[in-house]
């Protein structure tokens, strides 16, 4: 853990200056390796060690939806990632909320997106704190209590992300990914050999005795609700949602160029192969430690190894699992701070010059709030986490369709968003997810999309927006060579007739001479 903080702090040793752009998206300078490990790290969380093994133990095959949606999401990201990168690079934007405010020329809408995204992201911070706490307590054989372990998760993450930002998360991801590959590769070989005598014997018993776990809907049959319809609909919903998830967008915007994102979209699915290991080990635990119920099943993987391996080996596996909590938690906190610093607090004129400092303060506040609720009201955030991903999906029409379709209006997008979130909450909290075998979030998204399009076409039209399409939409032409750059005061800034400060410039904030390409004041 000490090494993690040191590595995160060292990441900023040559990048100690710079504003919000440098801190929140790494100065848009991260190359293929850092982007690969960072985005892989965001997808490989404590769920991969705890939840994936637990799902494998309890249900079996349905857990493969994680591999399916992430791989499909990378394919979607091959197209969407470069579009968002170019749009943000041209207009000096640093977050999803920032893009929304620029697209619709409504600062309040960016603030609303920031607040809504925060509500949906806080449960993920709490889940990572809980996950790391459970791991640290388990691998210390109970010597470190859960309360202290929770605080360590918060302190370690906050310690480097406040100082180093996205670049620090990328550096820690290198250590984390190296340990993940090492430990999971070892366990993949060790567990079948140690407990079953080989892979043949293990798979033979699995087929003969636990065949129900190897096909949909998995153990529990149709009553589990995880049939083919749920699997397909969840894969579609999540693969679309992941490309506009604020943490994914942060990775996109941190890239050096659009080709880096395309190459990573090709290679990132290879990392998902590792997800099969904890799933497989979860099914192995069915034979070694049968009878785990409830939250105990999430510890299936660690119960396999805590008695079989020496303490130092258990510690290495535990550090890999703990880092799988720290990296995504750091990016969650980072994007919350960035969105609030740029889209919410900077709406107060006297605070605009302090965006970076305010964002760093919000990081600490967001982490502290998640930690406090972990101690005092854990079930509140757990219930909220039930709608987190499905709720975030409801931003798709407002954000992604809005960046591709000029006729999308503020009224249409907001109406669709309100309806979509309402439908999700109604279905999930009434126990109707899935409904008719389909993920409730996808059903809500369909309703959301229909409302957004209908109101945009037949409702009040947008008035007074005379910007050209290339200043409003995230077109493919914005990427790579189309985004001409020149040096302005030591920073890069877009040039050309539509660049910030050019004759057709509208500014990155709301079309009134907002911000230049690096988040400063427009100088045109």
């Amino acid at each position: 853990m000490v090494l993690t903080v040191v590595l995160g702090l060292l990441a900023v040793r040559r990048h100690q200056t710079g504003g919000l752009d440098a801190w929140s998206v790494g100065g848009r300078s991260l190359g293929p390796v850092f982007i690969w490990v960072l985005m892989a790290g965001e997808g490989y969380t404590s769920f991969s060690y705890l939840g994936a093994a637990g799902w494998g133990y309890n249900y079996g095959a349905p857990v493969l939806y994680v591999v399916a949606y992430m791989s499909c999401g990378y394919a979607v990201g091959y197209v969407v990632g470069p579009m968002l990168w170019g749009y943000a690079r041209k207009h000096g934007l640093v977050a999803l909320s920032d893009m929304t405010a620029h697209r619709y020329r409504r600062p309040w809408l960016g603030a609303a997106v920031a607040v809504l995204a925060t509500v949906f992201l806080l449960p993920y911070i709490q889940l990572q704190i809980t996950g790391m706490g459970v791991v640290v307590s388990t691998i210390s054989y109970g010597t470190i209590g859960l309360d202290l372990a929770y605080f360590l998760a918060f302190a370690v993450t906050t310690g480097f992300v406040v100082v180093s930002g996205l670049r620090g998360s990328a550096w820690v991801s290198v250590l984390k990914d190296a340990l993940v590959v090492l430990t999971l590769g070892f366990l993949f070989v060790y567990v079948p050999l140690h407990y079953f005598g080989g892979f043949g014997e293990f798979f033979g018993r699995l087929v003969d005795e636990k065949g129900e776990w190897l096909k949909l809907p998995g153990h529990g049959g149709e009553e589990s609700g995880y049939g083919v319809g749920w699997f397909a609909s969840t894969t579609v919903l999540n693969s679309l949602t992941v490309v506009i998830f604020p943490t994914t967008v942060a990775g996109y915007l941190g890239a050096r160029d659009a080709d880096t994102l395309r190459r990573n979209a090709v290679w990132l699915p290879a990392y998902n192969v590792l997800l099969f290991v904890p799933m497989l080990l979860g099914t192995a635990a069915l034979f070694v430690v049968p009878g785990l119920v409830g939250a105990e099943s999430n510890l299936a993987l660690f119960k396999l190894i805590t008695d079989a391996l020496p303490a130092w080996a258990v510690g290495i596996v535990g550090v890999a699992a703990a880092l799988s909590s720290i990296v995504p938690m750091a990016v969650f906190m980072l994007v919350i701070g960035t969105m609030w610093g740029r889209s919410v607090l900077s709406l107060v004129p006297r605070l605009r010059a302090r965006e970076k400092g305010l964002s760093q303060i919000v990081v600490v506040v967001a982490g502290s709030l998640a930690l406090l609720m972990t101690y005092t009201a854990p079930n509140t955030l757990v219930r909220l986490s039930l709608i987190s991903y499905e709720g975030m999906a409801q931003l798709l029409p407002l954000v992604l369709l809005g960046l591709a379709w000029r006729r999308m209006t503020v009224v249409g997008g907001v109406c669709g968003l309100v309806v979509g979130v309402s439908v999700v909450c109604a279905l999930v909290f009434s126990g109707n997810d899935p409904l008719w075998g389909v993920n409730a979030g996808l059903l809500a998204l369909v309703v959301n999309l229909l409302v957004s399009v209908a109101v945009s076409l037949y409702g009040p039209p947008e008035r007074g927006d005379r910007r050209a399409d290339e200043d409003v939409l995230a077109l493919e032409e914005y990427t790579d060579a189309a985004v001409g750059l020149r040096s302005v005061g030591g920073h890069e800034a877009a040039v050309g007739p539509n660049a910030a400060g050019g004759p057709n410039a509208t500014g990155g904030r709301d079309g009134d001479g907002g911000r230049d390409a690096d988040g400063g004041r427009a100088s045109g």
Side-chain angles (χ1 to χ4, degrees), residues 288-376:
V288 180
V289 282
L292 299 179
V293 295
E296 268 196 324
S297 63
N298 289 330
L299 294 174
L301 187 154
F302 284 95
K303 288 186 178 294
L304 282 176
I305 65 173
T306 50
D307 294 330
L309 292 176
W312 63 267
V314 174
I316 293 175
V317 176
V319 169
L323 288 178
S324 294
S325 296
I326 288 174
V327 171
M329 179 164 59
V331 184
F332 288 139
M333 293 164 66
L334 177 72
V335 297
I336 289 176
T338 302
M339 288 189 295
W340 277 75
R342 170 57 67 88
S343 300
V344 180
L345 299 179
S346 65
L347 294 181
V348 181
R350 63 182 180 180
L351 298 179
R352 288 178 183 172
R354 302 170 54 197
E355 284 182 341
K356 180 180 176 181
L358 291 171
S359 298
Q360 292 169 320
I361 292 173
V362 172
V363 164
V364 178
V365 171
S368 300
L369 180 59
L371 178 65
L372 180 64
M373 295 193 73
T374 301
Y375 286 136
T376 60

Side-chain angles (χ1 to χ4, degrees), residues 440-453:
L442 185 61
L443 296 174
L445 180 60
V446 171
V447 176
N448 178 349
L449 182 61
L450 292 175
V451 171
S452 297
V453 172

